[in-house]
Amino acid sequence: MSDYLVLVVEDSDEDVEAIARAIGRSHPQVRVEFLRAGTEVLPRLTAPGAELPRLVLLDLNMPGEGGLEVIRRVRAEPALAGLTLVVFTSSEDQAEADACFAAGADSYIYKPINFALFRTVLRQTLDYWGKVAPTVVPPPGDSATRT
């Protein structure tokens, strides 16, 4: 599998370390970028010339702007329509999962406490979503067919 970028939005130091270790072991070719707050996501994704990640791994419960609001804001941006958003959370609340899917999340995955299982879940997530080629949506008014 080729090199690609995964953007991880996570406020917990322990989870950042665990995610970095798990992805580093199972997918050493994958580049991982961490953001520590939901408010950092849209500026990062919409910055001029920004590389878009293959997928965004998003914590749900963060101080300030949480994962659900991040999903809503990203999905409101036409240029980011093809971005894969995977919620990776410790919440097992079905209502939260339903709200994430309704807002446009592609997947909702529970973070296991056991590190071996945590690593397995992340490996399977990247195996699945890493094979899904991102959809490129041109900005409005930008068309190759224009004369």
Side-chain angles (χ1 to χ4, degrees):
M1 193 178 309
S2 64
D3 175 45
Y4 61 89
L5 176 65
V6 172
L7 183 65
V8 179
V9 186
E10 175 61 65
D11 64 313
S12 161
D13 291 338
E14 295 80 15
D15 286 349
V16 164
E17 182 182 336
I19 291 167
R21 283 188 13 224
I23 293 175
R25 289 180 185 177
S26 68
H27 293 80
Q29 77 284 6
V30 170
R31 291 173 291 119
V32 182
E33 180 182 337
F34 289 93
L35 297 179
R36 302 304 293 263
T39 55
E40 298 175 17
V41 176
L42 214 52
R44 161 56 182 86
L45 295 174
T46 58
E51 176 186 4
L52 290 182
R54 175 71 54 94
L55 71 101
V56 176
L57 204 57
L58 180 64
D59 187 25
L60 187 58
N61 298 307
M62 295 180 284
E65 186 173 304
L68 183 57
E69 184 58 27
V70 171
I71 295 166
R72 289 180 180 135
R73 290 185 48 192
V74 168
R75 290 300 182 228
E77 291 289 326
L80 301 175
L83 193 61
T84 300
L85 300 176
V86 176
V87 176
F88 190 55
T89 182
S90 56
S91 174
E92 294 181 85
D93 184 336
Q94 187 60 49
E96 286 186 329
D98 292 344
C100 288
F101 284 120
D106 294 292
S107 187
Y108 187 97
I109 300 170
Y110 175 71
K111 285 181 198 169
I113 294 171
N114 173 289
F115 185 68
L117 187 54
F118 183 95
R119 200 171 64 218
T120 298
V121 167
L122 272 177
R123 178 180 45 79
Q124 291 171 342
T125 300
L126 268 61
D127 284 350
Y128 180 80
W129 291 109
K131 292 177 185 170
V132 178
T135 304
V136 177
V137 178
D142 186 24
S143 172
T145 60
R146 263 195 293 181
T147 57

